[in-house]
Amino acid sequence: MKTLKPPKLAFVTFVYWFLLLYMIAALAWWFIALEKQNGILAEIRISEIYKDDPEYINKLARIEELRKRKTAQYVGEGLTFLALILVGAVYVYRATRRQLKFSAHQQNFMMAITHELKTPIAVAQLNLETLQRRKLEEEKQQKLIANTLQEANRLNALCNNILFTSQLDAGGYKVNFQQINLTDIAETSVDDCKSRFPEREITDSIEENIFIEGDPFLLQMLLNNLLENAIKYAPKNLPIHVTLVRSANKICLAIADLGPGIEDREKKSIFDKFYRSGSENTRKAQGTGLGLYLCKKIVETHNGYISVTDNQPNGSIFKVTFKS
């Protein structure tokens, strides 16, 4: 059975430039041929005029004027066609380039999702087999059960992200706006992360009673994804800090870590669907490229703005701003 392989980028690029240059060459040949024909017709008309004709000069001028008009017509039509060809070429080039990048991100996503799904399943299976085959002390049993629950929660969060992304792209999710206490959501997310990752240091400065009109499920997902993103990339021995404050007519949520940081050229791309920096074969951090994409969509749904800046001395600060 033959397997279908994606076309080589170099081959696609060669075909693209070949066709573009061919069309431009054909357009140039068309102009030269018409101009040559125009000159021949003008010479035939001139040869039909008698030199002793009193209107010879006027007829000659009219023929020359007609020849120039035809030349101007050909130039105008040629430039119009050339402009259309170039605009179409730029559009096709950018669309193809965007599609190829998207396909590469999709391929990375499939590789990542396979790993992300297999890891918690394998850990949970191993823990359950250990509990089934061995008689362990109560403390060790509870440790294995807690580890299994942690992996199950991780798998559940991953499935939620995938399902919600599908609903969001298909327009199938109905946003449930209501007056909610964002302080409670932030504190719940921080406490949940502390219990799931007891070895990590998570500090917070959360202002009391900050209310916002929003969807509680989406805002909870926003906080969880931002915290998990910080946990993925920040060193285990360095703290993660969560800030939630009200300033003037704005509500500002910030999550700062002391990880390796994000290069300036990637600061906008990290919110794209499936985008993950580096190669899937060499990347150490887990993930699918959906978390920050969902964060951006959730923030936009609430008429907010999300950005990432450099932390000092190193790391990143993800800042979300809502109108209060």
Side-chain angles (χ1 to χ4, degrees):
M1 182 181 292
K2 294 183 178 180
T3 57
L4 296 177
K5 296 182 179 180
K8 298 290 185 180
L9 181 59
F11 177 74
V12 173
T13 304
F14 170 78
V15 172
Y16 169 82
W17 284 110
F18 175 80
L19 291 175
L20 177 60
L21 293 175
Y22 176 80
M23 287 188 288
I24 294 175
L27 183 63
W29 178 85
W30 168 80
F31 173 77
I32 293 171
L34 287 178
E35 183 60 20
K36 186 177 180 180
Q37 183 184 46
N38 187 30
I40 293 173
L41 290 174
E43 290 177 0
I44 293 174
R45 292 191 184 99
I46 292 173
S47 66
E48 293 175 348
I49 306 173
Y50 295 103
K51 291 186 178 180
D52 55 354
D53 189 337
E55 294 293 321
Y56 177 79
I57 300 299
N58 292 335
K59 290 180 178 179
L60 187 64
R62 285 196 294 270
I63 292 172
E64 183 64 21
E65 182 182 358
L66 179 62
R67 186 187 69 79
K68 290 181 178 179
R69 271 206 312 268
K70 284 291 185 181
T71 299
Q73 177 185 345
Y74 299 150
V75 170
E77 292 176 350
L79 291 176
T80 301
F81 286 136
L82 179 61
L84 291 174
I85 290 172
L86 293 178
V87 170
V90 170
Y91 175 80
V92 171
Y93 176 78
R94 296 178 71 175
T96 304
R97 183 180 176 86
R98 187 165 52 246
Q99 184 60 38
L100 289 173
K101 289 176 67 177
F102 187 73
S103 297
H105 293 162
Q106 280 186 315
Q107 185 178 8
N108 281 346
F109 169 75
M110 294 305 297
M111 295 174 66
I113 198 65
T114 301
H115 175 74
E116 290 288 302
L117 289 173
K118 287 179 68 176
T119 301
I121 292 173
V123 172
Q125 183 180 7
L126 180 62
N127 290 344
L128 292 173
E129 287 177 351
T130 303
L131 289 171
Q132 184 183 43
R133 295 176 182 178
R134 299 184 181 180
K135 293 183 178 180
L136 302 175
E137 298 177 359
E138 181 67 21
E139 183 180 352
K140 292 183 178 180
Q141 288 184 10
Q142 292 302 320
K143 187 175 181 180
L144 285 176
I145 292 172
N147 182 253
T148 303
L149 286 173
Q150 181 176 329
E151 293 299 326
N153 288 332
R154 174 181 160 194
L155 189 60
N156 182 57
L158 178 62
C159 292
N160 284 339
N161 280 352
I162 297 172
L163 290 173
F164 181 67
T165 300
S166 301
Q167 289 181 330
L168 197 64
D169 291 341
Y173 181 82
K174 294 182 179 179
V175 183
N176 180 26
F177 280 108
Q178 54 184 282
Q179 192 73 10
I180 57 174
N181 191 334
L182 190 57
T183 298
D184 291 343
I185 291 178
E187 290 177 345
T188 300
S189 295
V190 171
D191 291 340
D192 180 61
C193 273
K194 286 180 179 179
S195 62
R196 289 170 57 198
F197 306 97
E199 73 283 0
R200 303 304 296 264
E201 181 183 354
I202 304 175
T203 60
D204 62 81
S205 301
I206 300 176
E207 188 175 316
E208 294 293 330
N209 298 321
I210 294 182
F211 288 88
I212 186 174
E213 191 78 17
D215 187 310
F217 172 74
L218 295 186
L219 293 175
Q220 189 79 64
M221 181 179 287
L222 169 68
L223 264 297
N224 291 341
N225 281 338
L226 288 176
L227 279 168
E228 288 178 7
N229 183 73
I231 289 170
K232 284 178 192 174
Y233 294 99
K236 292 184 178 181
N237 59 331
L238 295 178
I240 296 168
H241 188 69
V242 180
T243 305
L244 179 63
V245 295
R246 184 190 299 274
S247 176
N249 295 324
K250 295 180 180 179
I251 297 172
C252 296
L253 168 69
I255 297 180
D257 64 68
L258 296 170
I262 301 170
E263 295 183 15
D264 291 338
R265 62 183 177 86
E266 290 189 314
K267 281 187 170 65
K268 291 184 178 179
S269 300
I270 59 173
F271 295 105
D272 293 342
K273 189 177 181 181
F274 301 138
Y275 183 86
R276 298 187 70 212
S277 59
S279 169
E280 202 62 47
N281 296 322
T282 60
R283 190 181 294 113
K284 294 181 180 179
Q286 300 170 340
T288 60
L290 291 179
L292 292 179
Y293 168 76
L294 286 176
C295 289
K296 182 181 179 182
K297 289 295 183 181
I298 292 170
V299 171
E300 289 176 346
T301 301
H302 291 79
N303 297 318
Y305 177 76
I306 185 170
S307 62
V308 58
T309 56
D310 294 330
N311 196 8
Q312 297 299 330
N314 55 275
S316 302
I317 302 175
F318 284 85
K319 185 177 181 181
V320 179
T321 304
F322 297 112
K323 294 179 181 178
S324 61

